[in-house]
């Protein structure tokens, strides 16, 4: 790799309405989520690529996901049956 581990921030998630949510993350947290979730990398592989301890990767992933949950809980209820505050899918809404 050439020093950068993640995608350009502008290439995050286009056209889905989610890129504005990802904008609340720091570049490092964005990269951790991209590598761990988007690329499916292990904690160890992500840590090695970023030059950070595996424990720090776990903490950063947890904090980033918590931040995203907070942002999503502040949005109004969508038509897909998601409650704005629960973060869980309501199967009864079908």
């Amino acid at each position: 790799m050439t020093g950068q581990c993640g995608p350009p921030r502008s290439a995050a998630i286009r056209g889905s309405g989610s890129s504005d949510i990802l904008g609340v993350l720091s570049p490092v947290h964005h990269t951790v989520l991209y590598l761990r979730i988007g690329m499916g990398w292990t904690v160890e592989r992500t840590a090695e690529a970023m030059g950070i301890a595996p424990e720090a990767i776990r903490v950063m992933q947890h904090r980033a996901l918590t931040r995203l949950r907070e942002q999503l809980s502040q949005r109004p209820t969508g038509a897909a049956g998601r409650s704005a505050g629960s973060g869980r899918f309501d199967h009864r809404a079908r």
Side-chain angles (χ1 to χ4, degrees):
M1 296 195 147
T2 61
Q4 284 193 332
C5 296
R9 289 183 61 86
S10 62
I13 298 175
R14 294 186 188 152
S16 70
S18 299
S19 60
D20 58 322
I21 294 173
L22 294 176
V24 303
L25 298 177
S26 71
V28 173
H29 285 136
H30 181 265
T31 299
V32 167
L33 290 185
Y34 173 76
L35 295 176
R36 292 281 295 125
I37 297 169
M39 298 296 292
W41 286 14
T42 64
V43 169
E44 292 74 19
R45 184 174 179 186
T46 303
E48 184 178 331
M50 295 182 70
I52 301 172
E55 297 79 21
I57 295 295
R58 288 183 187 94
V59 169
M60 285 190 277
Q61 180 177 343
H62 173 75
R63 289 180 180 166
L65 290 173
T66 298
R67 180 78 171 121
L68 290 176
R69 271 188 220 101
E70 290 169 356
Q71 287 297 308
L72 287 171
S73 72
Q74 294 174 10
R75 289 182 157 215
T77 302
R82 278 190 150 287
S83 167
S86 72
R88 297 175 189 236
F89 187 78
D90 183 1
H91 296 283
R92 296 171 293 179
R94 290 183 183 201

